[in-house]
């Protein structure tokens, strides 16, 4: 089974702090994604990466950056956390393919971040 | 830009009954994929079912089936013989054939299953 793990289930930080959210997958997937989930808004893509050291902005990249130094690890960075970044953050990974049968996204359990 | 809309924030169903969750989407593309994901209270999101837009036949996975109406841009999920374990938040998602991997999600529908 594919396993996607996230470093913390719950995290509390203060405004202005630098925050690192880590995601690791064990299936050698090329694609990795960071979403935030907010009530009434669903999941929104922050950044994704299709290879080591490659990244592309999603729909809401402002205030975030990412790092992918190794294939299995994709980090989300909040340079200076703000209260409006309080949210659930979900990481996902997939094998790149033009067909959906092999393009299933596997999700981690999520990190509930609270910024005070 | 593509959008996905789930107009039912919450739904409830009696155990063993059938429930249908609605999803509409907007796109100018003709070739794309649609998905339903399930997020149980433990929060690990899993894929329930997928549909390729070029296929007219509706996808089915055991008790889960879809009603795909391409002209109406509608993609509903039917859950038959509902079980307590079906209680979760369900997300409808769209993926362009041209943009590998990127999913656009709806707002989600929370399904309650009553014993």
């Amino acid at each position: 089974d594919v396993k996607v793990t996230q470093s913390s289930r719950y995290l509390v930080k203060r405004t202005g702090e630098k925050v690192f959210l880590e995601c690791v997958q064990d299936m050698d997937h090329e694609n990795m994604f960071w979403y935030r989930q907010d009530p009434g808004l669903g999941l929104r893509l922050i950044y994704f990466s299709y290879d080591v050291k490659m990244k592309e902005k999603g729909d809401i990249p402002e205030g975030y950056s990412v790092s992918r130094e190794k294939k299995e690890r994709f980090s989300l960075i909040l340079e200076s956390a703000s209260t409006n970044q309080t949210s659930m953050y979900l990481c996902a990974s997939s094998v790149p393919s033009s067909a959906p049968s092999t393009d299933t996204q596997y999700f981690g359990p999520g990190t509930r971040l609270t910024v005070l | 830009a593509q959008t996905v809309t789930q107009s039912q924030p919450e739904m409830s169903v009696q155990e063993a009954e059938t429930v249908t969750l609605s999803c509409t989407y907007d796109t100018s593309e003709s070739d794309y994929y649609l998905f339903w994901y399930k997020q149980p209270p433990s929060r690990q999101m899993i894929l329930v079912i997928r549909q390729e837009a070029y296929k007219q036949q509706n996808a089915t996975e055991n008790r889960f089936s879809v009603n795909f109406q391409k002209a109406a841009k509608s993609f509903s999920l039917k859950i038959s013989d509902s079980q307590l374990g079906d209680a979760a938040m369900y997300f409808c998602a769209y993926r362009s054939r041209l943009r590998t991997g990127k999913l656009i999600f709806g707002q989600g529908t929370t399904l309650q299953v009553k014993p």
Side-chain angles (χ1 to χ4, degrees):
Chain A
D1 282 351
V2 174
K3 193 168 184 181
V4 180
T5 57
Q6 296 184 227
S7 50
S8 305
R9 290 300 302 271
Y10 300 93
L11 206 55
V12 180
K13 295 292 182 181
R14 297 209 173 271
T15 302
E17 279 193 79
K18 190 169 186 175
V19 181
F20 293 86
L21 303 182
E22 303 285 339
C23 175
V24 178
Q25 50 93 4
D26 66 356
M27 282 302 291
D28 204 34
H29 285 173
E30 284 84 356
N31 291 344
M32 295 189 75
F33 308 84
W34 274 108
Y35 297 91
R36 64 176 283 175
Q37 180 180 356
D38 299 288
L41 297 178
L43 277 73
R44 293 177 292 166
L45 182 64
I46 304 171
Y47 266 97
F48 71 101
S49 169
Y50 47 88
D51 203 350
V52 175
K53 296 190 185 294
M54 305 299 282
K55 61 184 179 184
E56 190 168 324
K57 293 179 179 179
D59 299 317
I60 51 165
E62 297 78 18
Y64 303 94
S65 63
V66 290
S67 172
R68 189 147 180 222
E69 297 296 319
K70 294 184 178 180
K71 192 175 186 180
E72 67 271 18
R73 187 180 298 271
F74 190 36
S75 303
L76 179 68
I77 303 157
L78 287 66
E79 295 289 341
S80 178
S82 63
T83 54
N84 63 13
Q85 293 179 309
T86 291
S87 185
M88 170 69 76
Y89 291 87
L90 295 175
C91 175
S93 71
S94 73
V95 175
S97 172
S98 60
S101 59
T102 54
D103 191 26
T104 298
Q105 288 196 19
Y106 296 88
F107 285 82
T111 296
R112 170 70 68 185
L113 173 67
T114 301
V115 182
L116 302 175
Chain B
Q2 295 83 20
T3 58
V4 178
T5 302
Q6 293 176 250
S7 58
Q8 306 156 315
E10 296 178 352
M11 293 280 285
S12 66
V13 63
Q14 208 69 36
E15 196 175 6
E17 296 293 311
T18 296
V19 64
T20 299
L21 307 184
S22 301
C23 173
T24 59
Y25 59 94
D26 190 25
T27 184
S28 59
E29 299 175 332
S30 60
D31 201 1
Y32 49 86
Y33 308 106
L34 296 165
F35 306 84
W36 278 99
Y37 277 84
K38 171 185 177 182
Q39 186 182 43
S42 65
R43 298 197 177 277
Q44 200 98 22
M45 188 98 69
I46 56 173
L47 178 67
V48 175
I49 199 166
R50 63 170 66 86
Q51 174 82 39
E52 292 143 308
Y54 63 86
K55 289 187 177 179
Q56 292 188 345
Q57 186 174 5
N58 289 324
T60 299
E61 288 286 346
N62 301 314
R63 297 182 295 106
F64 297 87
S65 61
V66 298
N67 183 5
F68 174 48
Q69 302 288 331
K70 191 173 184 179
K73 297 180 181 174
S74 170
F75 183 60
S76 60
L77 175 69
K78 185 171 82 171
I79 306 174
S80 304
D81 185 25
S82 297
Q83 301 175 359
L84 295 177
D86 294 334
M89 181 167 280
Y90 288 82
F91 290 96
C92 178
Y94 170 102
R95 206 204 90 191
S96 167
R97 186 181 180 90
L98 298 175
R99 306 181 75 190
T100 303
K102 291 182 69 173
L103 291 173
I104 299 169
F105 286 86
Q107 300 89 335
T109 297
T110 299
L111 178 66
Q112 181 185 21
V113 181
K114 298 178 180 178

